[in-house]
Amino acid sequence: MLDALFTATSAVCVTGLTTVDTGSSWSTLGHVVIAALMQVGGLGIMTVASLLVVLVSRRLGLRARLVARAQSGTNLDLSDVRRVLRDVVLFSLAGEALTALALGLRLLLAYDAEPADALWEGAFHAVSAFNNGGFVLWPEGMARFAGDPWMLLPVALAVIAGGLGFPVIFELARSRRPGSWSVTTRITVLTSGALLVAGTALLIALEYGNPATLGPMGVPGKLLAGFFSAVMPRSGGFSTVDVGSMTPESWLATDVLMFIGGGSASTAGGIKVTTFGLLAVVLWSEVRGEADVDVARRRIPEANQRQALAVALLGVGLALASTFALLGLTEHDTDRVLFEALSALGTVGLSTGITSDLPAVAEVLLVVLMFVGRLGPLALASALALRERPRLYRRPEERTIIG
Amino acid sequence: MLDALFTATSAVCVTGLTTVDTGSSWSTLGHVVIAALMQVGGLGIMTVASLLVVLVSRRLGLRARLVARAQSGTNLDLSDVRRVLRDVVLFSLAGEALTALALGLRLLLAYDAEPADALWEGAFHAVSAFNNGGFVLWPEGMARFAGDPWMLLPVALAVIAGGLGFPVIFELARSRRPGSWSVTTRITVLTSGALLVAGTALLIALEYGNPATLGPMGVPGKLLAGFFSAVMPRSGGFSTVDVGSMTPESWLATDVLMFIGGGSASTAGGIKVTTFGLLAVVLWSEVRGEADVDVARRRIPEANQRQALAVALLGVGLALASTFALLGLTEHDTDRVLFEALSALGTVGLSTGITSDLPAVAEVLLVVLMFVGRLGPLALASALALRERPRLYRRPEERTIIG
Ligand SMILES: [K+]
Ligand SMILES: [K+]
């Protein structure tokens, strides 16, 4: 019963943490339900988030180059909802169909799968990958395909595409010229790229000689597994190596990637690369002594900066509090517990192996964390933006000492 | 040789981490040198920080109610240096003399110490406590006095007074009316008080039944030890219970307290309660939807908020990077390594017991971290404030999606 609740939550929150083996514990109908829940969860979050972006832009009277085609009034009406939902569904189905095709063909040609099995398994894992769901039907997980780029690269690309976020994809589809991109799209693309490159290099360096992970692989295998391991914390959740055997340094690096997560209004979790990238820009401007925070000849409003700060700080507080609570509920080491908490909060689904070994109350806590992690940053950021008030007066200024 | 370098750094950075036992490893002359280094380190940081406060206030043309008595010109001159140094020395000597008196009398009357020993040990530990130095001459540390409020409370009060910061003490001495306090003083007093109360309650709750720490004590003993354990991470560094036997939850709570540290321009380390408190206020204002960040009918300038953000974010980054590096250099668990890194960075001096068990290169890294932790936040905050530039033009605004 708790397993079913846990699995359903994990699916609809597109997390992928599981207390029982997905392939063997549920019937085919169960697998269909899991795929449906991931699809609904992924479409839902992209649609709602995109609509909130439109709503916030209109309320604040912003030039909305993202998502919104027509712009009228200050509220959403049914045609907005219909249009965004249609675009999101089209985008998702196209991405999933391409991924399913690639995976199905590979399963058919290289793994001697029956055509019906190849079709179903390709479709299931395409839905799982594109929605950053993290569920796998095979008992040994994606480790079965370690070293096979024809399986792993389509999965990684689907995870990245689903995790960039609909508004950014929408803008990238309209224009390939970086000069015309909005600040959001620039920050998303740059930060995502930087995290992928840095994460891949770091994880390869840390696991290069680890006999339980990358050690036995050849150099191409190490590169592929390192790239795959750097993509998945944000927040696909698949793994080709045993996460529980990675070094504590790799766990810490993965923790950071899981906390940051993917793009806004995407199927990924975390505080989002936009939040992280914006704070990095604020930090950079401050260190350079700039009076304003400018990106690409545009000034980022102070309210926007404070909203990013709020999302990040509350994220840190929540991560600490949930690690703290999980520590009290289990006997596991702090690093594994922190990893598990960040995986649930970031709806990532990676685990060092303790998920199925938790007391019931800790599993219930993870269920709560998955929901909070899925909806929290979005709800918070939208609420903060929507309740911005005009400034009626300003008090006299006083500076505090810091540092 | 490395032990000597480590100890000297630990003393002058008023940290208190030690690779060897202080009492037995060094001669009496060595102990005098350690006390002198702590005194120089404590006086130095308070004087330099206070002078920087004066300089920043003048450069930015601020009404400086803190520290500065006379105000003229925009630079420091010799009379400023002399005046601040004199006030800081008087404040330190008075605090240390009172503490030495209390400790010496107690050692004389209740512990049968020789008068000369009582005088010297009282003076050494008064210097160590007031400067948040964390060095103890007794091999069993402060655990010798567990349950003795006549020893522990003077030490705790000296640590708190030294850790509030000279500007705040200076203002508190001038006026007891909270209504007249500057924003810095309000934030320091409120945040320090809240952290002390919350830390005491949390640590007592977490260690209440732990047979290796508070378990065997009576209720008054638990209260005293809990209070002492909550005071010391910020950043006195003494302990009456075995930190290595505390629960991982207590380590995590202590980590947070060590990261935050004490008051600005004090002998304490960390990002400072002013930085933490200011960010908490920013968060609160943002959640309430305020257009400005107001404290006590005063508006906190955006530049000031960004500086606090920069100090905190760089602190998090540094803590992560140093934990990461220490993990690679040792075989200890992540929670102990994180604790050690934060203790060095926050110049706290508490340890789960791994300090003397580290390879030489890790000890050198801790030496670097102690210096960075001691000077970094102060240098960063001052540099950021001093290089603030007037705004010559503003670019058109563009908001990013976050969350
Ligand atoms: K996931
Ligand atoms: K200390």
Side-chain angles (χ1 to χ4, degrees):
Chain A
M1 178 59 205
L2 184 55
D3 287 335
L5 171 71
F6 194 96
T7 305
T9 302
S10 190
V12 80
C13 294
V14 289
T15 305
L17 283 175
T18 50
T19 50
V20 295
D21 175 57
T22 306
S24 58
S25 303
W26 312 108
S27 63
T28 303
L29 178 62
H31 296 154
V32 172
V33 170
I34 288 173
L37 286 174
M38 289 192 289
Q39 184 71 77
V40 167
L43 284 178
I45 201 80
M46 281 200 285
T47 306
V48 170
S50 301
L51 286 172
L52 280 169
V53 169
V54 177
L55 181 61
V56 168
S57 307
R58 290 188 188 171
R59 282 285 175 84
L60 296 176
L62 304 174
R63 184 182 52 142
R65 291 190 292 180
L66 297 158
V67 187
R69 267 180 202 156
Q71 185 158 352
S72 60
T74 58
N75 283 307
L76 295 174
D77 59 28
L78 197 59
S79 72
D80 295 313
V81 179
R82 206 177 287 143
R83 182 173 46 73
V84 167
L85 186 57
R86 186 198 64 205
D87 289 350
V88 167
V89 168
L90 283 178
F91 164 56
S92 290
L93 288 184
E96 288 165 2
L98 280 175
T99 312
L101 187 68
L103 298 183
L105 279 176
R106 184 66 183 168
L107 287 169
L108 194 66
L109 299 176
Y111 294 88
D112 298 325
E114 296 294 314
D117 289 347
L119 187 68
W120 162 239
E121 292 182 357
F124 181 93
H125 294 95
V127 168
S128 185
F130 190 85
N131 292 293
N132 278 223
F135 278 86
V136 183
L137 291 178
W138 304 293
E140 69 278 47
M142 288 284 169
R144 185 177 165 193
F145 309 109
D148 180 359
W150 298 101
M151 284 298 290
L152 298 187
L153 289 183
V155 168
L157 288 179
V159 165
I160 293 173
L164 272 178
F166 177 68
V168 169
I169 294 280
F170 187 82
E171 191 172 15
L172 290 180
R174 276 192 312 177
S175 165
R176 301 281 157 70
R177 282 190 309 109
S180 71
W181 290 349
S182 68
V183 174
T184 300
T185 297
R186 285 164 186 263
I187 289 183
T188 302
V189 170
L190 272 180
T191 312
S192 296
L195 289 176
L196 283 181
V197 171
T200 302
L202 195 57
L203 289 173
I204 289 177
L206 290 171
E207 298 296 327
Y208 201 87
N210 185 342
T213 58
L214 303 196
M217 301 177 183
V219 171
K222 287 186 211 275
L223 287 175
L224 181 63
F227 174 69
F228 198 79
S229 298
V231 170
M232 292 309 151
R234 326 179 24 245
S235 54
F238 302 110
S239 54
T240 55
V241 298
D242 176 19
V243 175
S245 302
M246 289 173 113
T247 61
E249 294 94 308
S250 295
W251 290 343
L252 198 59
T254 305
D255 287 340
V256 173
L257 293 174
M258 294 196 293
F259 181 77
I260 299 171
S264 295
S266 78
T267 58
I271 63 166
K272 306 296 181 304
V273 287
T274 40
T275 309
F276 176 78
L278 183 53
L279 287 177
V281 171
V282 173
L283 184 57
W284 178 238
S285 301
E286 182 56 35
V287 168
R288 288 188 48 184
E290 313 278 359
D292 279 330
V293 176
D294 294 338
V295 180
R297 294 189 295 284
R298 290 283 178 276
R299 173 169 56 88
I300 310 292
E302 269 98 13
N304 203 183
Q305 300 172 31
R306 277 203 309 271
Q307 286 153 18
L309 173 68
V311 170
L313 284 187
L314 288 177
V316 170
L318 195 57
L320 278 176
S322 47
T323 303
F324 197 80
L326 275 181
L327 266 183
L329 295 172
T330 70
E331 295 297 310
H332 295 291
D333 285 342
T334 304
D335 44 11
R336 289 177 193 266
V337 166
L338 173 66
F339 193 99
E340 195 80 8
L342 288 173
S343 180
L345 271 175
T347 65
V348 177
L350 296 173
S351 174
T352 60
I354 66 173
T355 318
S356 55
D357 189 28
L358 295 174
V361 57
E363 290 187 9
V364 172
L365 178 59
L366 286 182
V367 165
V368 173
L369 291 183
M370 287 192 271
F371 274 114
V372 170
R374 181 70 285 186
L375 301 174
L378 173 67
L380 177 66
S382 309
L384 293 181
L386 286 174
R387 67 184 303 188
E388 262 178 45
R389 290 202 291 249
R391 182 181 283 134
L392 299 175
Y393 61 94
R394 305 200 85 175
R395 296 195 181 274
E397 195 172 279
E398 181 175 327
R399 156 181 300 266
T400 74
I401 312 175
I402 53 165
Chain B
M1 177 59 205
L2 183 56
D3 287 334
L5 171 71
F6 194 95
T7 305
T9 302
S10 190
V12 79
C13 293
V14 289
T15 305
L17 284 175
T18 50
T19 51
V20 294
D21 175 56
T22 306
S24 59
S25 303
W26 311 107
S27 63
T28 303
L29 178 63
H31 297 153
V32 172
V33 170
I34 289 173
L37 286 174
M38 288 192 290
Q39 184 70 75
V40 167
L43 284 178
I45 200 81
M46 280 200 284
T47 306
V48 169
S50 302
L51 285 172
L52 281 169
V53 169
V54 177
L55 181 62
V56 167
S57 306
R58 290 188 187 170
R59 282 283 175 83
L60 296 176
L62 303 175
R63 184 180 52 140
R65 291 190 294 179
L66 296 160
V67 187
R69 267 181 201 156
Q71 187 158 352
S72 61
T74 57
N75 284 307
L76 295 175
D77 58 30
L78 196 59
S79 72
D80 295 313
V81 178
R82 205 177 290 144
R83 183 173 46 73
V84 167
L85 186 57
R86 187 198 62 203
D87 289 350
V88 167
V89 168
L90 283 179
F91 165 55
S92 290
L93 289 185
E96 288 166 2
L98 279 175
T99 313
L101 187 69
L103 298 183
L105 279 178
R106 183 68 182 167
L107 287 169
L108 194 66
L109 299 177
Y111 294 89
D112 297 324
E114 296 295 314
D117 289 348
L119 187 68
W120 162 241
E121 293 181 357
F124 181 93
H125 295 95
V127 169
S128 185
F130 190 84
N131 291 294
N132 278 222
F135 278 87
V136 183
L137 291 179
W138 304 294
E140 69 278 48
M142 288 283 169
R144 184 178 165 194
F145 309 108
D148 181 358
W150 299 101
M151 284 298 291
L152 299 188
L153 288 183
V155 168
L157 288 179
V159 165
I160 292 172
L164 273 178
F166 177 68
V168 169
I169 294 280
F170 188 81
E171 192 172 15
L172 291 180
R174 275 192 313 177
S175 166
R176 301 281 157 69
R177 282 190 308 109
S180 71
W181 291 348
S182 67
V183 174
T184 300
T185 297
R186 283 164 186 264
I187 289 183
T188 301
V189 170
L190 272 179
T191 312
S192 297
L195 289 175
L196 283 182
V197 171
T200 302
L202 195 56
L203 289 173
I204 290 177
L206 291 170
E207 298 296 327
Y208 200 88
N210 185 341
T213 59
L214 301 196
M217 300 177 184
V219 171
K222 287 186 210 278
L223 288 175
L224 181 63
F227 174 69
F228 199 78
S229 299
V231 170
M232 291 309 150
R234 328 179 23 244
S235 53
F238 302 110
S239 54
T240 55
V241 298
D242 176 20
V243 175
S245 302
M246 290 173 112
T247 60
E249 295 94 308
S250 294
W251 289 345
L252 198 59
T254 305
D255 287 341
V256 173
L257 293 174
M258 293 195 294
F259 180 77
I260 297 171
S264 295
S266 79
T267 57
I271 63 166
K272 307 296 180 304
V273 287
T274 40
T275 309
F276 176 79
L278 183 53
L279 289 177
V281 171
V282 173
L283 184 58
W284 179 238
S285 301
E286 183 56 36
V287 169
R288 288 188 49 183
E290 313 279 358
D292 280 328
V293 176
D294 294 338
V295 180
R297 294 188 296 283
R298 290 283 179 275
R299 173 168 55 88
I300 310 291
E302 270 98 11
N304 203 183
Q305 300 172 33
R306 278 204 307 272
Q307 287 152 17
L309 173 68
V311 170
L313 284 187
L314 289 177
V316 170
L318 195 57
L320 278 175
S322 47
T323 303
F324 197 79
L326 275 180
L327 266 182
L329 295 172
T330 70
E331 296 297 311
H332 296 291
D333 286 343
T334 304
D335 44 11
R336 288 175 193 267
V337 166
L338 173 66
F339 193 99
E340 195 80 6
L342 287 173
S343 181
L345 270 175
T347 65
V348 178
L350 297 172
S351 174
T352 61
I354 66 174
T355 317
S356 54
D357 189 29
L358 296 174
V361 57
E363 289 187 9
V364 172
L365 178 59
L366 285 183
V367 165
V368 173
L369 291 183
M370 287 192 271
F371 274 114
V372 170
R374 182 71 284 187
L375 301 175
L378 174 65
L380 176 66
S382 308
L384 294 181
L386 286 174
R387 68 184 302 189
E388 266 178 41
R389 289 202 292 249
R391 183 180 280 134
L392 300 175
Y393 62 93
R394 306 200 83 175
R395 297 196 180 273
E397 193 173 281
E398 181 175 328
R399 159 180 297 266
T400 74
I401 312 176
I402 54 167

